[in-house]
Structure formats: C-alpha cells, structure tokens
Amino acid sequence: MKIYFIRHGEAEIYADDDFERKLTRIGKIKLENSFTAFANNLEDKRSYKIYSSPLERAKETAEILSKHLDKDFEVKDYLAGGRIRDILKTLDQEGNYILVSHEPFISNWIYQLTGEMKIVSRGSINFVEIDSKEFIE
C-alpha cells in the first residue's frame, strides 16, 4: 500500500472554532505550486483515493489537490485524529491513498508505520509504502 500523508497548508491563526480555520492566501499559493509539481511527478494518478480530515483547512487543501489530480476527495472523520491501525482497517489493502490531515497525527502515524521520526511542516507531502497486513493483524 502506498500512502501520501499531506499536512494542510498555512492556516489562519485564529477563528471562533478551530474546525473552521481556513487557509491563508499565501498558504493557498504555496499549495498550488507544490501540488502542480506533485501532480506532474505522480505516477498512476488514477490509482489514488484522496481522503481529507473534516477540518476546514484540510478540506481546502484537499480541494486544491483534487483540482490538480482531476479527482474528487472524500471527508473522513478519522483523519482528525484516529489511530493508524484503525485507519488502515478501513482502507482497501490493495489501494493507494493520499490522506490530508494535521499535526501531530501525521508525524505520529509515520513513526508508527516506519520507525522514522519526521518533522511534518505545513503543506508537506510525505510518502510511506507499507505492507498494511503487518499493522492490522
């Protein structure tokens, strides 16, 4: 299974509700540039499903990405903080995924899957290839 973990882009510092924080103009511009390069280099684009956290900044990030990949995305509540083993159980084990989420979840999931400690900055794209059966049994 191939998974790209994408942290949402730069977001507003303040909103009445954390779920409603939106991307900044600069955050959107940076994502546009990053996703243009990503889309041009991603092999087998059609094989990837895009899932997003329900928080506004993640959904906006997924919208920009889906435009570049010409694919729809789905909102999954578990991307706002689920356990990676539980998330893997919901995925088709033969599929490939792009998961748009948040910190500290992404760096924690990557560590649990690979043992690698990573700094996951806003808008970053992080690739992991795993045998998911190893983690869900």
Side-chain angles (χ1 to χ4, degrees):
M1 173 185 292
K2 296 177 184 177
I3 302 174
Y4 284 95
F5 292 100
I6 297 179
R7 183 175 175 194
H8 64 79
E10 179 182 310
E12 300 170 325
I13 294 172
Y14 176 80
D16 288 338
D17 181 347
D18 187 50
F19 274 68
E20 299 304 319
R21 287 179 40 223
K22 297 178 184 271
L23 295 176
T24 64
R25 185 178 61 79
I26 291 173
K28 290 177 183 178
I29 291 168
K30 288 179 178 179
L31 289 174
E32 288 283 353
N33 294 334
S34 176
F35 292 162
T36 296
F38 178 66
N40 288 338
N41 292 310
L42 182 63
E43 293 182 23
D44 198 16
K45 293 176 183 77
R46 304 299 331 153
S47 74
Y48 284 87
K49 293 180 183 173
I50 304 170
Y51 292 161
S52 172
S53 155
L55 280 68
E56 189 63 30
R57 56 196 177 274
K59 291 190 300 186
E60 287 181 322
T61 299
E63 285 172 13
I64 295 168
L65 176 64
S66 68
K67 178 183 72 173
H68 284 276
L69 295 181
D70 194 28
K71 293 185 69 86
D72 292 330
F73 71 94
E74 293 179 49
V75 173
K76 300 290 186 180
D77 288 345
Y78 55 65
L79 289 175
R83 292 176 4 144
I84 194 62
R85 287 181 190 271
D86 296 336
I87 292 169
L88 292 175
K89 288 177 185 177
T90 70
L91 304 178
D92 173 4
Q93 303 310 298
E94 304 302 318
N96 296 314
Y97 297 89
I98 300 171
L99 306 179
V100 181
S101 188
H102 313 272
E103 272 299 279
F105 310 119
I106 294 173
S107 58
N108 194 17
W109 295 334
I110 291 171
Y111 178 74
Q112 290 173 18
L113 294 172
T114 67
E116 180 183 355
M117 295 186 78
K118 282 192 96 166
I119 295 172
V120 177
S121 57
R122 291 175 296 201
S124 65
I125 301 168
N126 305 275
F127 178 74
V128 173
E129 187 168 10
I130 59 164
D131 176 1
S132 56
K133 294 174 188 142
E134 169 184 336
F135 294 95
I136 60 174
E137 293 177 348

